Amino acid sequence: MGWRKSRRSPRPSRRTADGGRAADKSGQGVVAAFGQILKTLRVRAGMEREELGKRLGYSASTIASFEQRRRIPPEKAIDRADEVLDAGGLLPVWKEQMEQAQYPVFFQGMAQLEKRAIELLSYDTLAVKGLLQTEEYMRAVLALRRPVLDAETIEQRVTARLARQTIFDRRPAPLLSFVMCESVLRRKFGGKDVLRGQLEQLLLIGQRRNAELQVMPLGSEENSGVDGPFTVVTREDGKKYLYVEAQGTTSLETDPKQAALPAARYGIIRSQALTPRESLAFIEKLLGEL
């Protein structure tokens, strides 16, 4: 798994765009296998999709999407299905693999770090960070990817990004800090309505006690983030990791020294940006201009 590889080796893990597509297909294979098992157990129990759906709290079409690898069921649904279908613990053993399958292989290590983070620092210059995106914004950004992503891959990535956002409600609450360039907040990916919804979500997130949003104005004469976007994650044992993604290539740096420098740089970037209160007022101003 990507997480274990990154722990064993101090070298950055990288992928290309072609590797990303292969990774998605690998994840889809796991989802397809689970879907087939779920269908087999349902048929063995003599249940129609509608009946299973009612007992799990889903529609028949959603059960079909689980069985046909178009959607990844949440953990609670997997546990409940195991009970309803009297599977004897067969389905829950797939939960970890299903969770990993939501992400391309190149992001699996970072996804695991987010789940165990006590602090996350992010500087972005191109688009709103995935952890902060609305579903509409996600779809708009993913639709712009070239080469074009197929519908199944887009659905898989949207589901995965939405699942990651549980970090905001986790207890104990991690410390979350996001600095983004003003240009990120002005790009109308998907149109005005999509941007409006995204700005409204940023305002809500910015009011959380464990999350701080800051804007780096385009007019600022000082910006130590000239090397581009990056994310620094601190694990519960105090170890820091650096994650960088750009132009179809990713890097998860596990060398503490290499991760410490960007963490220090991030502190400088924060000091150069608008304060959290000023930033929320700035986002409100942009929202009023739409």
Side-chain angles (χ1 to χ4, degrees):
M1 304 291 251
W3 162 239
R4 289 173 181 168
K5 286 182 180 178
S6 66
R7 290 190 66 184
R8 287 198 297 264
S9 172
R11 294 176 298 176
S13 58
R14 302 182 185 278
R15 66 101 182 178
T16 63
D18 288 340
R21 290 198 296 273
D24 285 331
K25 291 184 182 299
S26 174
Q28 289 168 7
V30 171
V31 178
F34 177 87
Q36 185 59 52
I37 292 174
L38 180 63
K39 180 179 179 180
T40 300
L41 290 171
R42 176 180 61 77
V43 172
R44 186 190 70 175
M47 285 189 191
E48 296 295 328
R49 286 171 176 162
E50 184 176 6
E51 181 182 353
L52 178 60
K54 286 181 178 179
R55 299 183 69 172
L56 298 185
Y58 294 100
S59 65
S61 62
T62 299
I63 298 300
S65 70
F66 291 159
E67 294 180 350
Q68 297 167 3
R69 82 175 190 181
R70 287 182 284 112
R71 285 186 61 182
I72 296 177
E75 291 188 0
K76 290 182 179 179
I78 294 175
D79 289 333
R80 179 60 179 154
D82 192 79
E83 295 175 6
V84 170
L85 298 174
D86 193 24
L90 176 61
L91 295 180
V93 300
W94 284 80
K95 286 195 295 186
E96 183 176 352
Q97 293 183 65
M98 291 290 282
E99 181 186 0
Q100 291 291 332
Q102 295 182 107
Y103 310 104
V105 169
F106 69 83
F107 192 77
Q108 288 180 2
M110 182 58 182
Q112 289 300 304
L113 282 175
E114 283 183 351
K115 290 185 64 176
R116 304 173 64 182
I118 61 170
E119 181 183 64
L120 185 144
L121 313 174
S122 176
Y123 175 62
D124 291 287
T125 61
L126 304 174
V128 174
K129 190 164 187 68
L131 283 176
L132 305 173
Q133 292 176 3
T134 63
E135 182 174 344
E136 293 76 14
Y137 189 95
M138 294 176 191
R139 294 185 183 279
V141 171
L142 290 170
L144 293 172
R145 292 288 177 85
R146 297 295 183 271
V148 175
L149 298 176
D150 59 66
E152 287 184 350
T153 298
I154 289 178
E155 288 303 316
Q156 183 176 319
R157 295 193 181 183
V158 167
T159 298
R161 289 188 186 182
L162 290 173
R164 289 167 55 205
Q165 293 179 354
T166 58
I167 191 173
F168 292 105
D169 299 312
R170 203 175 71 206
R171 295 293 180 269
L175 301 175
L176 308 171
S177 174
F178 305 91
V179 178
M180 61 196 79
C181 183
E182 176 185 338
S183 60
V184 170
L185 304 174
R186 291 187 177 276
R187 292 195 175 100
K188 297 181 177 67
F189 296 136
K192 283 187 178 182
D193 288 342
V194 172
L195 179 57
R196 182 178 294 108
Q198 182 60 69
L199 294 179
E200 289 173 348
Q201 173 144 307
L202 291 177
L203 289 174
L204 291 175
I205 293 173
Q207 294 171 16
R208 289 176 173 267
R209 290 188 298 169
N210 67 322
E212 286 192 343
L213 300 183
Q214 292 180 251
V215 177
M216 178 66 75
L218 286 172
S220 177
E221 296 183 2
E222 294 184 334
N223 183 350
S224 296
V226 291
D227 288 338
F230 64 93
T231 300
V232 176
V233 178
T234 303
R235 210 171 55 182
E236 65 267 19
D237 61 2
K239 188 173 182 180
K240 296 183 184 297
Y241 296 81
L242 169 67
Y243 179 76
V244 178
E245 181 177 346
Q247 289 298 319
T249 301
T250 64
S251 172
L252 179 58
E253 180 58 67
T254 62
D255 183 343
K257 292 182 180 178
Q258 295 301 318
L261 290 175
R265 187 182 307 123
Y266 186 83
I268 299 174
I269 293 173
R270 288 184 69 180
S271 70
Q272 296 166 335
L274 298 178
T275 67
R277 179 172 295 183
E278 292 170 340
S279 296
L280 292 182
F282 186 86
I283 293 173
E284 286 183 341
K285 176 177 175 293
L286 291 180
L287 190 56
E289 294 173 356
L290 290 177

